[in-house]
Amino acid sequence: MGFVRNGDRRLIQLFTGLILYGVSMAFMVESALGLNPWDVLHQGLSKVTGISFGWVVILLGIPILLLWIPLRQKPGFGTIANLVVIGFVVDGALAVLPSGDGIPARVAYLVGGILINGLATGLYIGARMGPGPRDGLMTGIVRRFPRLSIRLVRTTIELLVLGVGILLGGTVGIGTIAYALCIGPLVHVFLPLCTVPETRNLHTSAVD
């Protein structure tokens, strides 16, 4: 029974994290104060290719998975769920969220988006069902180079992605800077808190 409860928690936590991640992206878009670095890249690619924002999020995950190969990072169920869920959630959230009218509402969207994003990342990675393509790149680097902290690796990746996104025409703002500086420390805090303990029994290998 303990194993079943643990497995259920992992599944619920995974999808909760993915849904919250998509919502957090929509919050930052509605803030109109600057997108997070990955979404600056997504927007830039959308402008260049004409593909919708949500589909860029989904399709870009595929080539990013190829970067896992030299890191010996293996995809899991959560990785595939990430490819499908987040892009559709962000499009759905954008369709129903009210516009951020006025600076207070826009700032609230921005702060909420950053905080929810950090929590969402901790939730779905901590479910131990496989990180998404982008965060798998982060965890793969940390696993291969254990002296590097999650905070340092995440922040470095975000800044590099931001640069490419700007070159492709993605928009930036104060929210972009705030996200790039805050997301590493937030994940560093939330990931240990949200990680589901590994079950030590005969059934563990059935899902791990």
Side-chain angles (χ1 to χ4, degrees):
M1 292 298 295
F3 166 73
V4 174
R5 287 195 296 269
N6 184 273
D8 288 345
R9 174 188 167 183
R10 291 171 66 185
L11 191 62
I12 293 169
Q13 184 171 308
L14 169 67
F15 282 99
T16 299
L18 294 178
I19 291 170
L20 287 177
Y21 200 101
V23 171
S24 74
M25 292 167 66
F27 269 35
M28 291 197 66
V29 171
E30 290 294 346
S31 78
L33 292 173
L35 299 173
N36 70 56
W38 277 110
D39 286 345
V40 173
L41 177 60
H42 297 149
Q43 186 183 62
L45 287 171
S46 180
K47 289 181 177 180
V48 170
T49 64
I51 300 173
S52 72
F53 186 91
W55 275 104
V56 168
V57 173
I58 294 169
L59 295 175
L60 184 60
I62 298 173
I64 290 175
L65 282 176
L66 296 177
L67 297 177
W68 288 27
I69 296 174
L71 297 174
R72 299 176 184 175
Q73 180 84 338
K74 296 181 179 180
F77 175 78
T79 308
I80 306 304
N82 182 288
L83 280 174
V84 177
V85 173
I86 292 179
F88 289 114
V89 170
V90 66
D91 282 345
L94 286 171
V96 300
L97 283 175
S99 299
D101 295 326
I103 293 299
R106 293 167 62 189
V107 170
Y109 268 136
L110 174 62
V111 174
I114 294 173
L115 290 175
I116 294 172
N117 193 278
L119 173 60
T121 300
L123 282 170
Y124 81 77
I125 292 181
R128 298 190 301 106
M129 299 187 76
R134 296 155 185 81
D135 286 304
L137 186 62
M138 173 190 70
T139 57
I141 292 173
V142 171
R143 184 174 292 111
R144 287 296 302 274
F145 305 98
R147 292 186 178 181
L148 300 178
S149 70
I150 291 175
R151 174 169 40 196
L152 174 63
V153 172
R154 179 64 184 254
T155 301
T156 299
I157 291 174
E158 299 290 352
L159 292 174
L160 290 173
V161 168
L162 173 61
V164 176
I166 292 173
L167 292 176
L168 292 175
T171 57
V172 298
I174 187 64
T176 308
I177 297 172
Y179 183 93
L181 295 176
C182 295
I183 193 61
L186 284 172
V187 175
H188 190 74
V189 170
F190 283 123
L191 184 54
L193 294 175
C194 297
T195 298
V196 179
E198 187 172 357
T199 304
R200 299 294 182 181
N201 58 40
L202 295 177
H203 300 286
T204 302
S205 61
V207 294
D208 294 337

